[in-house]
Amino acid sequence: MDETFAATHPEDPHRLGRSHWLRAVVLGATDGIVSISSLLIGVAAAVSAADIVLATGVAGMVAGAMSIAASEYISVSSQADIERAEIMREKRALKEDPEGELAEMAAIYRRRGLSPETADQVAKELTRSGALEAHLRDEVGLLDLHAASPKRAALASGSAFACAGLLPLCAVVFAPAGFIVPSVLGATLLALLFLGALGAWTGGAPVAPAMVRTVIWGAVAMAATFLAGTLVGQFIG
């Protein structure tokens, strides 16, 4: 019979299950804001034509969204392949040497501090209730199989990149003449503050450190591309 357990802290639930999709969304959005803002600032430092800056930003947004979506799909697919290989390996081992696998499980629990008698009993009971799941969890370390879908991860990252990249593009469109760089810089830093806070709050992590590191790295990226754009502008000018 299944048993249900009441959480001891329902007001503060665990948020680790959100880590897969949260990682993809935060990664995509942060990359979109920082990449497109840095690109726009770098180009604006080299040329003064707003239409060139805007066209470069739109092309960068499309290319970046497709790139991060493809990278995320490949990365998560590779992880899923590794998980499937581990599952097949454990299935073969359980079929070919069940006693050896049982002894291996008992040894794992002894190393975790259980007495030999208790470790043997735990290994036997978990083997009866689900040998494969027990080995994957306690021997291999697969706690949540196939938690991330390659397609969902790719869609989340790509969409987040494109949506976030629209913000600095809008800053270019509405920036007064000659103020593209400060407009993009201000909009981006505000967005990074919000994004850092949102990611930390959603995951239940401290907000302030997340905001600080997000803004610092975004500022460093934009400063680097502004310097590069300035040097290029002097060279071609």
Side-chain angles (χ1 to χ4, degrees):
M1 181 176 64
D2 294 335
E3 296 184 45
T4 58
F5 299 89
T8 57
H9 44 84
E11 75 289 349
D12 185 24
H14 293 293
R15 296 175 173 87
L16 192 59
R18 303 176 180 176
S19 62
H20 300 286
W21 63 264
L22 182 61
R23 170 188 168 276
V25 171
V26 172
L27 174 64
T30 304
D31 196 11
I33 292 176
V34 174
S35 296
I36 303 307
S37 297
S38 299
L39 178 63
L40 292 171
I41 287 176
V43 175
V47 300
S48 58
D51 55 345
I52 295 178
V53 176
L54 185 60
T56 303
V58 172
M61 185 185 69
V62 175
M66 296 304 297
S67 175
I68 196 171
S71 298
E72 194 72 21
Y73 184 89
I74 294 170
S75 175
V76 176
S77 295
S78 298
Q79 179 62 32
D81 291 342
I82 293 172
E83 290 182 2
R84 283 192 290 268
E86 291 291 346
I87 293 172
M88 294 305 300
R89 186 176 295 111
E90 284 303 313
K91 283 183 176 180
R92 286 196 302 270
L94 286 169
K95 182 178 180 179
E96 296 170 0
D97 186 16
E99 293 300 323
E101 290 295 297
L102 179 61
E104 186 177 35
M105 287 293 288
I108 290 172
Y109 299 133
R110 286 196 297 272
R111 288 196 299 270
R112 293 183 180 178
L114 297 182
S115 66
E117 295 78 11
T118 302
D120 290 341
Q121 185 63 25
V122 170
K124 290 177 182 177
E125 291 188 11
L126 288 178
T127 297
R128 283 197 296 268
S129 62
L132 180 60
E133 290 78 5
H135 278 270
L136 291 174
R137 180 184 63 248
D138 296 326
E139 179 187 347
V140 181
L142 293 182
L143 302 179
D144 192 4
L145 301 182
H146 310 303
S149 162
K151 292 181 180 178
R152 285 198 297 268
L155 181 60
S157 291
S159 300
F161 185 103
C163 291
L166 286 174
L167 177 66
L169 288 175
C170 289
V172 172
V173 172
F174 296 106
F179 286 88
I180 289 179
V181 171
S183 297
V184 171
L185 178 62
T188 299
L189 292 179
L190 288 175
L192 288 175
L193 281 171
F194 173 77
L195 185 61
L198 178 63
W201 176 78
T202 306
V207 171
M211 295 172 67
V212 170
R213 65 173 175 258
T214 304
V215 169
I216 287 177
W217 283 106
V220 168
M222 288 184 288
T225 54
F226 179 79
L227 177 60
T230 302
L231 294 175
V232 171
Q234 292 177 351
F235 177 76
I236 65 177

